[in-house]
Amino acid sequence: MSDCVFCKIVAGQIPSTKVYEDEQVLTFMDLGQVNPGHVLVAVKKHAENIYQLDESQAAAVARASARVAKAIRDAFKPEGLSVYQANGKAAGQTVFHYHVHLLPRHQGDGMELTWPVKNPPREKLEEYAAKIRTAIG
Ligand SMILES: [Zn+2]
């Protein structure tokens, strides 16, 4: 069994605050300690980087990112939303499983997230995820 934390989340072995799921992609609120409140769009297949995605998987990540981004916009009305992808040790990643981060933003406010609470505590994530799921419809 893989010791990849995202593979364990996909397999349901680690609980996650799920926002959206389809056959190829799992989207969840970051459990993380480092960046609480990021929404992560992760391809289900273990792929360490974009080179390991086929075009269908890459398209699925983009499609899910757009769908969830619009739902975040509708549910929380942030001033902006950043989408970024960073993989590999050189990018400071510690999980080697392809994923994209969605971050609602305050204008001109660096890395602060625009949730009702900045850098929300773990117990708020399910409430926010439920709002996003409702907005996805
Ligand atoms: Zn993995």
Side-chain angles (χ1 to χ4, degrees), residues 70-91:
K70 289 172 187 170
I72 292 170
R73 178 194 63 192
D74 294 347
F76 293 99
K77 312 278 192 283
E79 293 170 20
L81 186 133
S82 296
V83 180
Y84 77 87
Q85 182 265 321
N87 283 103
K89 283 181 185 161

Side-chain angles (χ1 to χ4, degrees), residues 5 26 49 58 61 82 90 100 106-107 121:
V5 66
L26 179 65
N49 54 52
V61 171
S82 296
V100 169
H106 292 289
Q107 193 71 36

Side-chain angles (χ1 to χ4, degrees), residues 2 4 6-7 46-47 96-97:
S2 169
C4 169
F6 279 20
C7 283
H46 183 84
F96 302 106
H97 188 125

Side-chain angles (χ1 to χ4, degrees), residues 1-136:
M1 185 61 205
S2 169
D3 61 0
C4 169
V5 66
F6 279 20
C7 283
K8 289 182 176 172
I9 289 170
V10 168
Q13 295 169 340
I14 296 176
S16 65
T17 307
K18 200 178 294 182
V19 170
Y20 171 79
E21 182 173 17
D22 64 24
E23 285 184 8
Q24 300 198 85
V25 169
L26 179 65
T27 298
F28 58 96
M29 304 282 287
D30 195 351
L31 308 166
Q33 312 71 22
V34 182
N35 297 309
H38 286 206
V39 176
L40 274 67
V41 182
V43 66
K44 287 183 172 177
K45 176 200 165 207
H46 183 84
E48 292 194 10
N49 54 52
I50 199 166
Y51 307 125
Q52 296 174 358
L53 300 183
D54 65 28
E55 291 189 358
S56 169
Q57 292 159 343
V61 171
R63 190 167 52 241
S65 297
R67 182 174 291 183
V68 174
K70 289 172 187 170
I72 292 170
R73 178 194 63 192
D74 294 347
F76 293 99
K77 312 278 192 283
E79 293 170 20
L81 186 133
S82 296
V83 180
Y84 77 87
Q85 182 265 321
N87 283 103
K89 283 181 185 161
Q93 294 280 295
T94 56
V95 176
F96 302 106
H97 188 125
Y98 185 82
H99 62 282
V100 169
H101 297 249
L102 305 179
L103 292 81
R105 286 279 174 80
H106 292 289
Q107 193 71 36
D109 199 5
M111 294 297 286
E112 294 289 356
L113 303 181
T114 302
W115 300 111
V117 175
K118 292 181 183 179
N119 300 321
R122 192 185 194 97
E123 56 270 21
K124 280 280 178 193
L125 297 185
E126 181 52 43
E127 176 188 328
Y128 298 164
K131 286 188 178 181
I132 297 168
R133 289 194 299 266
T134 298
I136 290 172

